Amino acid sequence: MNPSQINIHKKNPSAEDSKQIDDLLSQMTLEEKIGQLTQGHIDSDAPESFEQEVRDGIVGSYILNQGGRALADTLQKTATTDSRLEIPLLLGFDTIHGYRTVFPISLALSCAWEPELYERSQTIAARESRADGVHWVFGPMCDIARDPRWGRVSESCGEDPYLASLCVVASVSGLQGSDISAPNRVAACLKHFVGYGASIGGRDYNATEIPVFTMRNLHLLPFRAGIAAGAATVMSAFNANDGIPAVCDRTALTDILRSEWGFEGFVVSDWDAVRESISWGYNADETEAAQRALNAGNDMDMVSRIFQANLPALVKDGSVTISEIDTAVRRILGVKLRLGLFDETAAPLPVGKKLPSDAIELARECATRSMVLLENDGVLPLKSPPADIALIGPFSTDPVEMLGAWTLKGLPEDVITLDVALRDSLPPGSILNTVTGCPILEEKERTSTLTNGKIVTVGSAEKTNDTSDSIVEAVEAAKNSDLVIMTLGEPADWSGENACRTSLRVSGRQQELFDAVAATGKPIIVILFCGRPLVFPEITQRASAVLMAWHPGVQAGPAIADILLGIESPSARLTMSFPTDEGQLPVYYNRLKTGRSWAADYRDMTREPAYPFGYGLTYASFVYSSISCDGNHASVTITNQGKRPGIETVQLYIRALSCSEGARPEKELRGFQRVELEPDESKKITFALTDETLGFTARDGTERVEDVSYYIWISPDSASGDEITFKKNS
Ligand code: GLC
């Protein structure tokens, strides 16, 4: 399946929609038109704070960060009965990996290599969002994530554009369904357009320097797939690429998004980004910011109010034409019509005290499928759990840490922790001794930085969930146990937006805790909780098993217990490379070969990751044989030589040995198939080598495939397997 060819829900405004929009436009004042281009922020649940501007029609959309369904209904009633033209509000919200039911973070779910889990989880997220008054969610995040120092890799679908595109398409389908006017669907918003993931130094909000060929064949691809899938809206990004803030980037927002891809919806800026185009040193003032952002193709201004304040004068002096204003208004009204907001049927009531059972079951399935088994000396699965288990670490009992970044409606009481899950699932007679060992963070200032020559301490003292020094207690618990399970990682609020790190190690004194427990010589199973690839060589060398659990959501505990006890077999595969050391960064699989790949290592370290893209262990033992390629198809036979059933994710990589538009990566994922095999069962897997499989995007945006020589790999991850050579059309 080639993501760029997918066209599930593309729906242009119908003729009657266009007529209704024309009628409205003919009646609207300039202030009312600019109101449709203005998005406010609901920062209080008091309707009176917003009702007057709604009546005046000078705000057409809000971010519903407070108040939920009750406030949404109140404000919508004001808009549709008390305003002059009765145009409904468009209410948006950051539903990223669930609304009230919190699923694993997106980076985790991408490791399932099952895009349909995005569709199913986003279907529930849409249902819960719409029921609480939200029409439009700011997702899926389509940014390619190559630098784990950047906190927002947690929201991404990893470093590969092919897999990310499939996940984005599935998310759009889950959020929008086949008709976004349905009471359980919402409008999607592809973000952050474009290239935000390439922020220099992995520092959020930083500049990017993305050349055309890389932009075309890496960062744009998930967005192109999302547009083809019918996404209703796009959000422009915070970064400035080659000096142009994304909110003012006409090449991206108009030439590519609209002229090339035919996008019919609207573009909203990111938070206050219209104003930030001034601090970038691009626009001189708010007047210029308003003019250039609108002219570039950014239709709606998120919370800066600069459109509201400056566009009237710009229209009056002719710097902005009324036709430009009408174009943006038309796009926004088109989405409101598609959403059915002009005659909205009441959505079902919001989620009550308990999560629905279908949501809980899916959350557990998603969490189980997203956890990557990185190391296992055979200790897992726990055949017959030992009688005495020590559960040590600050993530064992903390529900909040299971939710991850961007869980604004998630509730700790919805979470089942590992401690609770193990007590429910270990056989009678088992003893589980749970000790925190140390806080997730220590009591110290968050950041001291040299600013203008002075040491400045910023941020408050870091969070700690336990001030007692219980490393000694943890060591005692380990000594008195037959097996230790350790829960380690980084704080949930150390990933997501404005949460970048230079160190990728476990936080606080957790390494000290691990070293002290490891010194007891007891077998240790480490469960890692984080929102990004981490670096943990000392743990790898001494643990019997390492399971990457990410931030797994409300069913964290049951999912981990299912895997530890062998009720479920791990099948997840990494979608971001795990660096051997921070000094390598950025490290990713789809790198260029270079002219001297024999000289690519550092003096003091390999350039290879600790764990490569596509890597993950199972409880089975898969053997690849009879790999062949006839130029039109490549195939392999997979055999499970293990004693347990398992799911193998068979991956197809290609390399074009030459390309007239520029060197292509030394490996590119172009297909995968998941196959479940019983012990001793074999299956032949075949991949078609179509033009889409082999092709690339030229600098002018056209799809190309060249009659050159290729390497093909069929393998369990991006670092293994032997290449097969073939020449296209030979
Ligand atoms: C934030 C984020 C964006 C989010 C928006 C609204 O700054 O960059 O992803 O959707 O503002 O909260």
Side-chain angles (χ1 to χ4, degrees):
M1 167 165 58
N2 183 283
S4 65
Q5 309 304 320
I6 293 163
N7 187 344
I8 298 174
H9 312 296
K10 195 177 180 70
K11 180 182 169 200
N12 298 336
S14 62
E16 65 268 21
D17 286 359
S18 300
K19 184 179 179 319
Q20 188 171 350
I21 292 170
D22 290 340
D23 291 348
L24 269 175
L25 279 171
S26 65
Q27 303 170 60
M28 293 170 83
T29 64
L30 178 61
E31 281 65 26
E32 286 166 334
K33 290 180 179 180
I34 294 168
Q36 292 303 307
L37 313 188
T38 299
Q39 181 179 61
H41 174 220
I42 301 287
D43 52 5
S44 121
D45 55 9
E48 55 274 13
S49 310
F50 314 98
E51 282 178 323
Q52 192 52 53
E53 61 181 10
V54 172
R55 274 191 208 94
D56 297 341
I58 60 171
V59 176
S61 171
Y62 285 100
I63 302 179
L64 190 65
N65 273 346
Q66 297 282 342
R69 177 68 177 274
L71 181 58
D73 288 350
T74 302
L75 292 179
Q76 197 66 296
K77 187 169 185 297
T78 303
T80 55
T81 59
D82 285 356
S83 72
R84 191 174 75 84
L85 293 173
E86 301 180 349
I87 298 173
L89 295 169
L90 178 61
L91 301 173
F93 187 77
D94 286 288
T95 300
I96 310 298
H97 53 107
Y99 186 77
R100 166 71 188 281
T101 302
V102 178
F103 296 98
I105 56 171
S106 180
L107 180 60
L109 196 56
S110 67
C111 294
W113 291 57
E114 268 187 279
E116 56 103 9
L117 289 179
Y118 279 90
E119 178 159 10
R120 291 167 58 200
S121 57
Q122 294 287 28
T123 293
I124 287 180
R127 179 179 84 191
E128 294 181 355
S129 300
R130 193 80 185 248
D132 210 22
V134 173
H135 309 122
W136 170 37
V137 300
F138 304 129
M141 192 254 219
C142 307
D143 303 307
I144 293 296
R146 284 180 152 179
D147 194 327
R149 293 171 293 182
W150 188 47
R152 303 199 76 166
V153 301
S154 68
E155 303 168 54
S156 78
C157 302
E159 69 191 39
D160 176 74
Y162 176 86
L163 179 60
S165 297
L166 293 175
C167 297
V168 163
V169 167
S171 284
V172 170
S173 183
L175 291 169
Q176 299 192 164
S178 54
D179 177 359
I180 62 175
S181 68
N184 59 348
R185 297 294 182 182
V186 292
C189 183
L190 306 179
K191 69 183 188 182
H192 307 80
F193 195 66
V194 62
Y196 182 30
S199 295
I200 294 169
R203 281 199 308 280
D204 211 351
Y205 315 123
N206 203 359
T208 57
E209 293 167 351
I210 307 169
V212 170
F213 199 48
T214 302
M215 185 63 91
R216 287 287 185 185
N217 288 283
L218 190 71
H219 301 285
L220 282 171
L221 294 181
F223 289 94
R224 187 180 68 183
I227 297 297
T233 71
V234 169
M235 181 186 296
S236 55
F238 279 132
N239 58 301
N241 191 49
D242 195 16
I244 309 286
V247 69
C248 297
D249 187 340
R250 185 175 174 82
T251 301
L253 295 175
T254 295
D255 299 346
I256 294 176
L257 194 55
R258 298 191 184 280
S259 307
E260 278 186 38
W261 295 350
F263 176 55
E264 301 275 344
F266 72 84
V267 176
V268 63
S269 74
D270 204 336
W271 189 284
D272 212 33
V274 177
R275 181 188 318 283
E276 293 178 7
S277 65
I278 301 165
S279 52
W280 272 107
Y282 178 68
N283 290 316
D285 52 31
E286 293 190 3
T287 302
E288 199 166 69
Q291 179 185 0
R292 284 181 174 172
L294 185 75
N295 177 261
N298 190 93
D299 305 299
M300 186 185 282
D301 168 16
M302 184 186 283
V303 309
S304 87
R305 302 282 177 137
I306 284 178
F307 277 15
Q308 190 178 63
N310 294 275
L311 285 179
L314 285 163
V315 170
K316 288 189 176 67
D317 74 18
S319 306
V320 169
T321 65
I322 197 63
S323 157
E324 283 179 285
I325 299 283
D326 287 355
T327 298
V329 175
R330 187 182 299 282
R331 290 165 178 164
I332 292 165
L333 291 179
V335 172
K336 291 187 176 183
L337 279 164
R338 274 184 64 189
L339 276 162
L341 299 188
F342 285 85
D343 51 6
E344 190 166 17
T345 50
L349 289 176
V351 172
K353 186 159 177 49
K354 292 189 70 57
L355 298 180
S357 55
D358 67 334
I360 292 173
E361 284 159 27
L362 182 59
R364 184 169 185 162
E365 182 183 354
C366 288
T368 309
R369 295 282 204 210
S370 64
M371 296 179 182
V372 187
L373 185 60
L374 298 175
E375 300 287 349
N376 183 21
D377 68 2
V379 69
L380 290 179
L382 296 173
K383 286 92 183 164
S384 52
D388 199 329
I389 297 176
L391 177 61
I392 298 171
F395 292 85
S396 311
T397 58
D398 188 327
V400 172
E401 291 300 324
M402 301 296 108
L403 295 174
W406 288 107
T407 52
L408 309 170
K409 299 285 185 180
L411 300 177
E413 52 264 36
D414 293 335
V415 177
I416 298 180
T417 63
L418 181 57
D419 176 70
V420 169
L422 285 175
R423 292 186 191 287
D424 286 350
S425 44
L426 284 174
S430 294
I431 298 171
L432 183 70
N433 183 4
T434 300
V435 179
T436 300
C438 69
I440 292 175
L441 294 171
E442 298 303 312
E443 281 288 348
K444 65 179 177 55
E445 291 303 333
R446 173 184 161 118
T447 309
S448 298
T449 174
L450 192 62
T451 302
N452 302 329
K454 286 192 304 176
I455 288 285
V456 176
T457 297
V458 297
S460 59
E462 293 179 346
K463 178 189 98 153
T464 171
N465 61 1
D466 173 354
T467 52
S468 66
D469 178 348
S470 55
I471 290 183
V472 171
E473 187 188 352
V475 169
E476 280 312 300
K479 284 177 180 169
N480 298 326
S481 73
D482 305 311
L483 172 76
V484 178
I485 298 173
M486 291 195 79
T487 61
L488 307 169
E490 66 168 0
D493 63 7
W494 272 26
S495 60
E497 185 173 351
N498 189 17
C500 300
R501 300 182 65 186
T502 56
S503 160
L504 302 179
R505 315 289 162 142
V506 293
S507 56
R509 295 170 57 215
Q510 295 179 72
Q511 185 63 54
E512 183 186 338
L513 171 66
F514 174 81
D515 294 342
V517 170
T520 67
K522 298 288 183 178
I524 302 174
I525 296 167
V526 171
I527 318 291
L528 287 172
F529 297 89
C530 57
R532 59 167 37 92
L534 294 181
V535 174
F536 43 90
E538 302 81 4
I539 291 173
T540 303
Q541 288 145 20
R542 302 173 73 179
S544 297
V546 179
L547 179 70
M548 172 53 71
W550 307 105
H551 291 128
V554 293
Q555 285 288 300
I560 296 169
D562 285 350
I563 289 177
L564 297 184
L565 299 173
I567 297 163
E568 293 289 343
S569 288
S571 59
R573 300 300 176 87
L574 294 178
T575 57
M576 271 190 84
S577 306
F578 274 45
T580 300
D581 183 274
E582 294 88 343
Q584 292 179 324
L585 294 177
V587 64
Y588 44 84
Y589 91 93
N590 41 7
R591 61 196 182 198
L592 294 189
K593 187 79 177 169
T594 79
R596 292 190 172 194
S597 53
W598 43 266
D601 284 345
Y602 300 93
R603 285 279 177 154
D604 56 352
M605 184 173 291
T606 173
R607 64 166 173 166
E608 299 305 336
Y611 300 103
F613 175 85
Y615 172 88
L617 299 178
T618 69
Y619 289 157
S621 172
F622 294 106
V623 173
Y624 286 56
S625 60
S626 313
I627 296 180
S628 65
C629 171
D630 64 6
N632 295 310
H633 293 86
S635 60
V636 65
T637 297
I638 308 287
T639 303
N640 178 1
Q641 290 187 350
K643 294 183 174 55
R644 295 176 63 93
I647 297 174
E648 176 69 348
T649 301
V650 183
Q651 299 155 44
L652 171 72
Y653 295 92
I654 69 155
R655 182 193 177 200
L657 298 179
S658 63
C659 176
S660 62
E661 291 255 323
R664 290 174 62 183
E666 67 175 325
K667 276 190 181 178
E668 294 178 72
L669 177 73
R670 287 303 171 91
F672 60 90
Q673 294 183 38
R674 301 175 76 256
V675 56
E676 186 156 9
L677 297 176
E678 292 298 324
D680 301 326
E681 187 182 2
S682 292
K683 187 171 182 184
K684 182 176 181 181
I685 303 290
T686 299
F687 294 97
L689 302 178
T690 64
D691 286 356
E692 285 82 16
T693 309
L694 302 170
F696 66 98
T697 304
R699 293 166 187 272
D700 65 4
T702 56
E703 293 300 287
R704 300 270 182 84
V705 61
E706 296 182 334
D707 290 351
V708 297
S709 295
Y710 293 84
Y711 284 162
I712 296 284
W713 292 264
I714 301 180
S715 60
D717 60 57
S718 61
S720 55
D722 299 322
E723 73 271 5
I724 303 171
T725 306
F726 87 95
K727 185 160 174 30
K728 182 160 173 49
N729 289 344
S730 56

